[in-house]
């Protein structure tokens, strides 16, 4: 039966700590092994090089002066304290000179051989101790024998010290890697827990909950910023939906109530009612309700990006046609209409949606500008190489505090409650601007108080 792991061992924090510890441990172990072998190997190669130098020097002395010169060199070297030992024996095996009474190993018949042996000497405390040595035994041409060896004690001490250091550093490295892994993983886990608390708050209904951004610019900050942007958008959509429900109920209550009262009156009056006129008014009320729902559907499609067919648009030509179409309507409403359209303006976008946005602005200008006022349709290229389409009027305008709210769904300011409409016109223009990666701005117009006017500008890039 497979035993379940403890809860803390199943966490990402623990796994990150283990991975960090293993990586640090492998690195430390590899580094220490490298240091051990490189140090010990270097010491051995240096010892062998020095030993070869001693052998070559003594061989040169033998070649230059025979046994006498060689004996003199061995005596001189033996009398000077150092790491090397020398023993010279004659062909009969009798010791001639050197540090030992005899060569402490078997002699080769000819040539040379490497030897490892132990010897006893007094330490600093005057106590007898056994030490190790490594050297070369050489059979000379006259059958005499020569031993040149070096003491391994110093090298052995250094190697042992390195070995102890390795075994001491490994557990320390393991402990440090575990601590470091826990610190790093705990930091990551703490940021993840903050994100989890944020999502839990949102799931519980608190749409104002936001993920903390510490300002480090790491991936958790970027994730928090994206999550906060998503939550801002979600909160806005929820508020819009809540407001839309209230606005729909408010704006549809009146026509539906009028429709019901009319039908009830017609039913009560019976034959006295002009059936054709009653049906005609009923159809108008129903058409108004359907128009509201069609506007909602169109706005939803635009905001979802499902209604766009992008192509190159001759904006100057399109606005000239709209100016020609709306000039008679403006004059009929008692308004002075003018247009200022730069020729040759081109953008990439959906022609029908751009036309709908400008039409909404023109309709609003005609609807809210009092008789005797003026309105202007403009199209120009800005310094930033964008195309700006604007409609200005001398109507009552929109207060600066209400301009941001005016572009939301179903928002109808108090001054517009007496006019027919559904509160979706400016919201549609703003959605079309966003769909084209542009912007929609409201500002004061050219009028004078109390009719300060309104300037509604749709700014669009030439390419999307």
């Amino acid at each position: 039966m497979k035993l379940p792991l403890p809860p803390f061992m199943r966490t990402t924090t623990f796994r990150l700590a283990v991975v960090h510890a293993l990586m640090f441990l492998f690195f430390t172990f590899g580094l220490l092994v490298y240091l051990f072998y490189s140090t010990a190997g270097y010491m051995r190669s240096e010892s062998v090089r020095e030993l070869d130098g001693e052998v070559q020097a003594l061989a040169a002395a033998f070649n230059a002066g025979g046994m006498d010169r060689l004996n003199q060199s061995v005596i001189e070297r033996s009398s000077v304290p150092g790491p090397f030992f020398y023993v010279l024996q004659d062909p009969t095996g009798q010791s001639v000179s050197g540090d030992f009474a005899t060569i402490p190993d078997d002699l080769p018949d000819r040539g040379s051989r490497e030897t490892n042996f132990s010897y006893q000497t007094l330490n600093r405390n005057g106590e007898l101790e056994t030490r190790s040595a490594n050297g070369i035994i050489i059979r000379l041409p006259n059958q005499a024998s020569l031993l040149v060896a070096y003491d391994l004690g110093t090298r052995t001490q250094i190697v042992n010290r390195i070995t102890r250091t390795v075994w001491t550093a490994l557990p320390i490295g393991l402990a440090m890697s575990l601590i470091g892994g826990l610190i790093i993983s705990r930091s990551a886990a703490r940021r993840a827990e903050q994100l989890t608390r944020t999502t839990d708050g949102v799931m519980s209904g608190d749409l104002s909950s936001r993920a903390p951004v510490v300002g480090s610019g790491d991936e958790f900050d970027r994730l928090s910023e994206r999550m906060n942007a998503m939550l801002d958008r979600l909160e806005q959509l929820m508020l819009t939906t809540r407001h839309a429900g209230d606005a729909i109920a408010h704006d549809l209550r009146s026509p539906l109530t009028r429709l019901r009262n009319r039908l009830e009156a017609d039913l009560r009056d019976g034959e006295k009612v002009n059936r054709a006129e009653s049906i005609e008014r009923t159809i108008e009320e129903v058409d108004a309700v359907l128009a509201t729902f069609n506007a909602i559907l169109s706005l939803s499609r635009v905001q979802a990006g499902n209604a766009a067919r992008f192509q190159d648009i001759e904006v100057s030509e399109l606005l000239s046609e709209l100016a020609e179409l709306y000039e008679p309507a403006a004059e009929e409403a008692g308004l002075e209409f003018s247009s200022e359209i730069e020729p040759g303006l081109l953008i990439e976008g959906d022609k029908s949606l751009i036309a709908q946005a400008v039409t909404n602005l023109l309709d609003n200008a005609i609807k809210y500008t009092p008789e005797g006022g003026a309105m202007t349709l403009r199209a120009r290229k800005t310094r930033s190489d964008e195309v700006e389409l604007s409609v200005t009027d001398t109507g009552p305008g929109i207060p600066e505090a209400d301009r941001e709210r005016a572009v939301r769904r179903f928002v109808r300011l108090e001054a517009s409650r007496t006019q027919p409409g559904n509160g979706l016109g400016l919201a549609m223009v703003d959605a079309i601007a966003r769909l084209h990666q542009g912007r929609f701005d409201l500002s004061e117009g050219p009028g004078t108080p109390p009719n300060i006017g309104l300037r509604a500008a749709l700014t669009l890039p030439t390419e999307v």
Side-chain angles (χ1 to χ4, degrees), residues 408-422:
R408 298 177 185 173
R409 282 187 176 193
F410 300 106
V411 171
R412 302 192 67 197
L413 304 178
E414 292 302 322
S416 64
R417 285 291 178 182
T418 59
Q419 297 288 344
N422 49 33

Side-chain angles (χ1 to χ4, degrees), residues 128-182:
L128 195 64
E129 67 174 359
T130 302
R131 300 173 68 93
S132 299
N134 174 265
I136 297 177
I137 302 175
I138 305 171
R139 176 71 77 168
L140 300 175
N142 63 352
Q143 297 302 310
S145 300
L146 174 66
L147 167 68
V148 181
Y150 62 91
D151 181 56
L152 294 177
T154 303
R155 193 183 80 176
T156 302
Q157 291 176 358
I158 295 176
V159 170
N160 291 337
R161 183 173 299 177
I162 294 175
T163 303
R164 288 194 300 270
T165 302
V166 169
W167 289 112
T168 303
L170 276 179
I172 296 176
L174 177 60
M176 291 181 61
S177 63
L178 283 173
I179 294 172
L182 288 173

Side-chain angles (χ1 to χ4, degrees), residues 105-115 135-139:
D105 203 349
D106 296 334
L107 302 178
D109 294 333
R110 62 179 179 274
S112 62
R113 63 183 291 268
E114 184 178 0
T115 179
I136 297 177
I137 302 175
I138 305 171
R139 176 71 77 168

